[in-house]
Amino acid sequence: MPSTFPDVSKIQFEGTKSKNPLAFKHYNPDEVVEGKTMKEQLRFSVTYWHTFRGQLADMFGVGTAVRPWEDGTNSVKMAQKRARVAFEFIEKLGAPFYAFHDRDVAPEGKDLRETNRNLDAVVKVLKEEQARTGIKLLWGTACLFVHPRYVHGAATSCNADVFAYAAAQVKKAIEVTHELGGAGYVFWGGREGYTTLLNTNLKREMDHLAKFLHMAVDYKRTIGFKGQFYIEPKPKEPTKHQYDSDAAACLNFLRQFDLLPHFKLNIETNHATLAGHTMQHELEVAGSAGACRLSTSALGSAAAMVTSSAPAAATATGFANGSTTSTFMSPTSWSSRATRRPTRENPTSTTVGEPPSSPCRCR
Amino acid sequence: MPSTFPDVSKIQFEGTKSKNPLAFKHYNPDEVVEGKTMKEQLRFSVTYWHTFRGQLADMFGVGTAVRPWEDGTNSVKMAQKRARVAFEFIEKLGAPFYAFHDRDVAPEGKDLRETNRNLDAVVKVLKEEQARTGIKLLWGTACLFVHPRYVHGAATSCNADVFAYAAAQVKKAIEVTHELGGAGYVFWGGREGYTTLLNTNLKREMDHLAKFLHMAVDYKRTIGFKGQFYIEPKPKEPTKHQYDSDAAACLNFLRQFDLLPHFKLNIETNHATLAGHTMQHELEVAGSAGACRLSTSALGSAAAMVTSSAPAAATATGFANGSTTSTFMSPTSWSSRATRRPTRENPTSTTVGEPPSSPCRCR
Amino acid sequence: MPSTFPDVSKIQFEGTKSKNPLAFKHYNPDEVVEGKTMKEQLRFSVTYWHTFRGQLADMFGVGTAVRPWEDGTNSVKMAQKRARVAFEFIEKLGAPFYAFHDRDVAPEGKDLRETNRNLDAVVKVLKEEQARTGIKLLWGTACLFVHPRYVHGAATSCNADVFAYAAAQVKKAIEVTHELGGAGYVFWGGREGYTTLLNTNLKREMDHLAKFLHMAVDYKRTIGFKGQFYIEPKPKEPTKHQYDSDAAACLNFLRQFDLLPHFKLNIETNHATLAGHTMQHELEVAGSAGACRLSTSALGSAAAMVTSSAPAAATATGFANGSTTSTFMSPTSWSSRATRRPTRENPTSTTVGEPPSSPCRCR
Amino acid sequence: MPSTFPDVSKIQFEGTKSKNPLAFKHYNPDEVVEGKTMKEQLRFSVTYWHTFRGQLADMFGVGTAVRPWEDGTNSVKMAQKRARVAFEFIEKLGAPFYAFHDRDVAPEGKDLRETNRNLDAVVKVLKEEQARTGIKLLWGTACLFVHPRYVHGAATSCNADVFAYAAAQVKKAIEVTHELGGAGYVFWGGREGYTTLLNTNLKREMDHLAKFLHMAVDYKRTIGFKGQFYIEPKPKEPTKHQYDSDAAACLNFLRQFDLLPHFKLNIETNHATLAGHTMQHELEVAGSAGACRLSTSALGSAAAMVTSSAPAAATATGFANGSTTSTFMSPTSWSSRATRRPTRENPTSTTVGEPPSSPCRCR
């Protein structure tokens, strides 16, 4: 496949004096800080959704992302091509990791069998690209919130069929993450919560969620997947009350259902502030949980994976335009988030350009 | 056209003891309260967007609205059919008014000429239905926020072409509102605001907005439209700072640019609370502005039109399912809002069903 | 002692038609609801602080409470007199319970010995009044936040002397609660939290807090106190992060340190909303904890004690003026809170009158 | 009078490498930036309340400030001594300005005559100290919120006597500011707002407030005071709704009542964020008002005076302890704010030490 970004070479560290918009000013991968290189300390990852799938739409307008490589279809072929574009982007950016939702990388089919087949077809390409570039998978996850079937939750849905479908989807997502050598697997309970207590049995839904996660833990063992399981706390959206609202709520749940030995937390800056806390607080709470496998550092980062967004994070779009470069760094993962339209979590947005070709979206 | 809701008769007042889900429990149109009938006091209006166009999507998932009459296209023919469905709904509900955005009722065409032609084709049907039913237009408005051209604002866009296009769109929307005998015309500055002050000349953008509104005032005079102009205050979304953030900010702007004699405020409950105020406060501020044509009542409602949403407002969908009826009333307009997915303004949602057939959306 | 409220008789239930300001309109103590009298269902309690000690001051002004029976001193004699006034008030109001902080009912002395002696002197009066009226103690608690020694916390203070002093104070408060036949004992970690993580070892402070509470549990056993221990969740004030920020955070802590069998939660409406939740949510979380001794009702109230305030709650002051009566009811306790100046928790206030005579205040 | 801080010399600029806690690291008064010295650009002022009067109390505990020079009285003599201590502090800090509320510098007497006499006695000392040091008065203001008489407002009180008393107090405060050569005079409507609209006639109260301010403008002319009048926007505390809630609300009010030519805005960072805005936004709104006497700079600072607090601002207490120095700078005034207990505006606090000797407090 010809290069999508032919005019862009690998982004280099050029120091704070550089005026080159496509250069790192602060991130020098080989510089040793506290006994490790910055690359080892800061395990940057490009998240597929933020960078390649978000359309920069909001509740008040259609998307504005410009991605010249898109052909306007949501086909498997386009998904495979997109994967190769993504790896060219990540490779030139110099990020050691990437991360994805299942529905980001491959389209939903007419039934589970076709959907899984679609996923396999793209995973094949991802595998080739991982081998070609040395870029690794930081985590995989299943998108259990975009499709209308999940309107009332996945593991906490009032519909047993939905629970079963979600379980099948997670099963496949763990398999694929395992196949790609993923370092971890993330659960974000996108619609696990309630709109009103008037029609919700909170206790029962929590039981279902615990059951669901225990099944995932069992299956992980069955197939020999050694990656870390994570829960990603987030409050308030899309449901009125998200069960995984903050670190303390997640830990309480994990303790109650004997899941703490199997999970760590994936802390996100905007989620922390949306919960009325600070990022540091959430890290500290996670770090003090006393159930981490790794040793605990000052701010508890060993107990938690960090996800963040940046006001001016590099985007594939911006990259294509040669107009921006990433200057954002966070301890263990790298959300090279396409700037997008506001949710509560991301109240600020900057957008440019034309309407999107695809209505699909994940978190 | 055959009835879309053949099993539903006109909704009647049956009192608080009624168990009939399709009956009014409190709203008795002919009951006299403080010298006027409830129908005269409470000038309920069904808003086209909330009831017939919102897909019940959110930032985390596709729409779930079920509307059996939709054929999956965004054609003029479908728009005309939808208008007749809407009037059957409004008539059976017994609301004396409706309200719409231009892009709700008719699809965007390939250029302004085609777009206007589309609108005219549907307005013809609306006119017939108004005549048939006696239902009147409370207000019209132009949707200046969904299309990507408005990404940086309409009257406050940095692009002169966008200003011109928005002006042409508003011109047509006022003409159509006039033609349909609309009692008012509303301006919601959906994208009039800023994402960051770093690239915004606030003073200049306010000047442009004032210029735009003066042009609208002039044109209203030119064509002899006698309806009231309204500005609808709303803060925080979709831009970080909306210029029309609350009643006080709107009044300050209107005073500064000598527009106060020409505008009143269209106060919305959720917008008031989103601004950190109460609905009562915003009404009081509007009412105390001393620039109202009408006499001022206790809470200043004479200076303001009231828009509200209700947790369990009647929806065309629910109506079709025979499962809900509207028990919501507000002083002068009636947002029979389809329950929808969360924005900041509407943090709670209840949704059911299948994905939407149309990607189009307005506020 | 002569009556303090000679013109007020016992408040009677007179029904919703009554125009008598000193009558219950809804609360009929003897009316059976769901198999129990309202008095049994709604275990109203008058909280000493809210009703007799708060000065109605705020951060921007001195207090405005008017209490003609106060002599302007903070003496033991005044405290004893105040206790008799309180019981006349509670008796006439018909509340079956009262509740207090140690420093509400008796003044701090020059050292612990004198302080305890002061408390004993007033407890003697409380005991007499309980016997005379049949009013019972719902809970006692220790005020570990007003005195400057607690500026950095009590159990979580960086100063071992403060930990010891707090332990001694709690010991005495439990003894006194036991002596008065209290149904429960409440811990509100008023200053257990942090201002900044930069100088805080969160994990260590949580360990200290757990140690402190285990000591209390041990001592309760030692002296044979059978009342229920409660923790009262509250976020954000007075420290930036309160360790007991919400129900989930409390439960996580109680589970982590094997304290869950010994504690239930004392849920407060304003604390719930301040945490970004609803009262119903917090009750539901507490009720679903699976560690309650009592059976769980629909909203989990069995797992939690409920504390609430009301905009127009009866106050001793208003009572004296004959101008207000309490129409506020909540399931198991009754905060007859003197309307007071704003904190974050209580953003609204209505105050009248003259400056306070005493600078002392508790929560 | 002997030195209060004998071990502290004048604070010098020593650059960013200095480890001296009592040295400026960034503020070099004589360094020219954009054509003016930093001293001229940054017109730092020490605010009397924040530095010498706040007790570091909060709603949940008594004060903890340590000020060895205080004798525990609220006498005129103590006030005169405190003024000399303040000037030693300000002089050693090198701030060119100070600012005060009338009740900060001198105690309330038994009536207006005595109160004014008290003020005159201290003003005499302030004048001497100004002459001795060359330090100037940036602004004076009247404290219309601490005394119980102002419980329902000053200019917007429902009590005509309170309006009259407030007017007399402002008259004296303007005279004293004039006498001391103050560069400006600030109005903070501390209790001008409402707790509930149910008992408030907002329109009438705004009329009263406008009348009050017009009287102040007239009196300023009468006595020839040339300083600038400012209104300080602040929302939410202490009343539920403060009339001067943000810059837009103030400007709307000033335009409505023809006061805009006579007032500028005194913008405060915490007040801006409490209103849901940013400091930059509020400055921009003030700057774009088009009614400033001075030319408008990029962020409108010409139209506004800036007040800010800093997490580690220098305090007289800290200064005495030799433990902190001010590293805080803002464009035109300098709030050397004693770190204090939380209000909504100041959610974080760090406090040390012993209880306060004096109950008096102003904003």
Side-chain angles (χ1 to χ4, degrees), chain C residues 154-166:
Chain C
T156 65
S157 174
C158 45
N159 187 324
D161 288 343
V162 172
F163 183 101
Y165 196 100

Side-chain angles (χ1 to χ4, degrees), chain B residues 261-325:
Chain B
H262 307 294
F263 286 85
K264 290 183 180 174
L265 301 183
N266 182 25
I267 306 293
E268 227 268 24
T269 306
N270 285 331
H271 298 182
T273 52
L274 196 54
H277 303 304
T278 60
M279 180 61 170
Q280 291 76 5
H281 173 76
E282 289 291 90
L283 288 175
E284 190 68 38
V285 170
S288 72
C292 319
R293 287 191 224 160
L294 310 182
S295 61
T296 305
S297 73
L299 270 176
S301 61
M305 184 161 65
V306 179
T307 308
S308 302
S309 65
T315 71
T317 303
F319 193 67
N321 297 341
S323 62
T324 58
T325 188

Side-chain angles (χ1 to χ4, degrees), chain B residues 25-245:
Chain B
K25 311 299 188 297
H26 299 280
Y27 176 58
N28 183 359
D30 302 322
E31 187 178 330
V32 174
V33 178
E34 300 273 334
K36 281 200 276 188
T37 64
M38 287 179 74
K39 189 176 176 178
E40 289 163 327
Q41 295 275 15
L42 309 162
R43 306 171 69 213
F44 288 137
S45 144
V46 174
T47 306
Y48 215 88
W49 155 246
H50 299 127
T51 315
F52 292 96
R53 300 302 280 145
Q55 304 300 326
L56 308 187
D58 65 23
M59 287 305 292
F60 303 89
V62 295
T64 56
V66 186
R67 299 204 176 94
W69 57 85
E70 294 283 337
D71 65 9
T73 70
N74 195 18
S75 67
V76 172
K77 206 178 139 198
M78 183 62 236
Q80 290 175 317
K81 180 182 169 193
R82 190 185 296 121
R84 302 213 188 265
V85 174
F87 271 81
E88 183 185 351
F89 175 82
I90 302 167
E91 193 183 14
K92 288 186 169 172
L93 208 50
F97 292 103
Y98 76 116
F100 67 82
H101 296 77
D102 51 2
R103 292 300 89 87
D104 291 350
V105 291
E108 180 107 16
K110 69 177 193 306
D111 56 19
L112 184 64
R113 180 168 293 120
E114 185 179 298
T115 302
N116 286 351
R117 211 155 46 210
N118 292 349
L119 185 53
D120 286 334
V122 183
V123 163
K124 192 169 157 288
V125 176
L126 295 173
K127 219 168 172 178
E128 289 171 17
E129 292 292 315
Q130 288 188 198
R132 183 182 67 76
T133 60
I135 293 163
K136 289 174 184 160
L137 178 62
L138 189 65
W139 48 260
T141 185
C143 174
L144 304 177
F145 43 91
V146 167
H147 194 280
R149 80 171 65 87
Y150 296 124
V151 65
H152 295 307
T156 65
S157 174
C158 44
N159 186 324
D161 288 344
V162 171
F163 183 102
Y165 196 100
Q169 191 177 333
V170 167
K171 173 178 177 290
K172 180 67 180 177
I174 296 174
E175 287 166 4
V176 159
T177 301
H178 184 38
E179 183 181 349
L180 291 169
Y185 183 90
V186 170
F187 293 83
W188 177 54
R191 295 198 187 273
E192 315 294 21
Y194 63 78
T195 294
T196 168
L197 282 171
L198 294 177
N199 65 6
T200 303
N201 184 331
L202 182 143
K203 190 173 186 306
R204 192 173 175 188
E205 294 201 354
M206 300 298 264
D207 285 345
H208 290 182
L209 184 55
K211 186 96 179 173
F212 190 92
L213 295 178
H214 271 296
M215 287 166 66
V217 169
D218 289 347
Y219 190 65
K220 178 187 167 180
R221 271 203 208 98
T222 304
I223 64 172
F225 175 53
K226 303 291 185 201
Q228 174 67 45
F229 273 7
Y230 295 97
I231 286 184
E232 181 173 324
K234 180 176 181 186
K236 288 183 182 168
E237 65 183 12
T239 73
K240 178 181 169 56
H241 180 79
Q242 298 278 120
Y243 290 139
D244 299 332
S245 58

